[in-house]
Amino acid sequence: DIQMTQSPSSLSASVGDRVTITCRASQSISSYLNWYQQKPGKAPKLLIYAASSLQSGVPSRFSGSGSGTDFTLTISSLQPEDFATYSCQQTYSNPGTFGQGTKLEIQ
Amino acid sequence: DVQLVESGGALVQPGGSLRLSCAASGFTFSGHWMSWVRQAPGQGLEWVANIKEDGGVTHYVDSVKGRFTISRDNAKNSLYLQMSSLRAEDTAVYSCARDLHYDGSGSGYCFDSWGQGTLVTVSS
């Protein structure tokens, strides 16, 4: 199975900050990388698919980049509603494995 | 609006069985692959199984092969997960998710809608 490693595991930031979360695959996954946001007790929400495509309805402050083994999710200016846990997922090969998650907390 | 509502979660003893259901609405259910994803307490997300639009193809994560069966009833807009020989490590919130295939490669998919999940606890 392809292992997905996110860093950092947790992150404290303030409203208005620019934040970057990294996801690294144990082997090349081309651009088959998705990003999800999850808030406590809520269903995950798709933010980015195919490494850099913004899901419909997701604010443009979210962006994704990368290919091969290294990927990033960037939030250009943190808003109060962005404090959540973010997870990456590779779909290059079955099973479609997720990273362990990055918890973004208010500083 | 797309809605996915899971049910059937419960406390079950090790070795027991359980059937989860997911009721879908707001979209053409028969036009989508569907998946089950689980999240153990304090852990990350784990894809469990998926099923093709017509139910003719299924895939499973190795840890549940031979114990779990995914199925669907397109006439009832429902997805199911039959779980047997349950273990403590199967304890998790189980969510159904709609697959969105964005290219024809088989690798190009994501989960664009999710249910809130149902809790399965395996304990004596």
Side-chain angles (χ1 to χ4, degrees), chain A residues 86-99:
Chain A
Y86 294 85
S87 299
C88 62
Q89 178 204 20
Q90 68 80 21
T91 59
Y92 178 79
S93 67
N94 278 337
T97 43
F98 291 85

Side-chain angles (χ1 to χ4, degrees), chain A residues 29-35 46-54 64-67 71 89 91, chain B residues 102-103 107-110:
Chain A
I29 58 171
S30 184
S31 295
Y32 294 112
L33 192 284
N34 307 317
W35 289 99
L46 175 67
L47 300 175
I48 302 284
Y49 64 94
S52 60
S53 295
L54 191 68
S65 65
S67 66
F71 302 85
Q89 178 204 20
T91 59
Chain B
Y102 54 81
D103 72 18
S107 295
Y109 69 93
C110 55

Side-chain angles (χ1 to χ4, degrees), chain A residues 14-102:
Chain A
S14 301
V15 173
D17 284 353
R18 180 184 180 88
V19 167
T20 297
I21 297 169
T22 296
C23 182
R24 175 165 288 176
S26 60
Q27 66 182 74
S28 178
I29 58 171
S30 184
S31 295
Y32 294 112
L33 192 284
N34 307 317
W35 289 99
Y36 300 91
Q37 176 195 66
Q38 188 174 18
K39 297 179 180 179
K42 300 293 187 182
K45 175 185 176 182
L46 175 67
L47 300 175
I48 302 284
Y49 64 94
S52 60
S53 295
L54 191 68
Q55 171 68 351
S56 175
V58 174
S60 59
R61 63 181 179 273
F62 291 92
S63 64
S65 65
S67 66
T69 59
D70 295 315
F71 302 85
T72 58
L73 172 70
T74 299
I75 309 172
S76 60
S77 178
L78 273 174
Q79 299 302 300
E81 60 269 28
D82 299 338
F83 292 94
T85 297
Y86 294 85
S87 299
C88 62
Q89 178 204 20
Q90 68 80 21
T91 59
Y92 178 79
S93 67
N94 278 337
T97 43
F98 291 85
Q100 81 280 14
T102 294

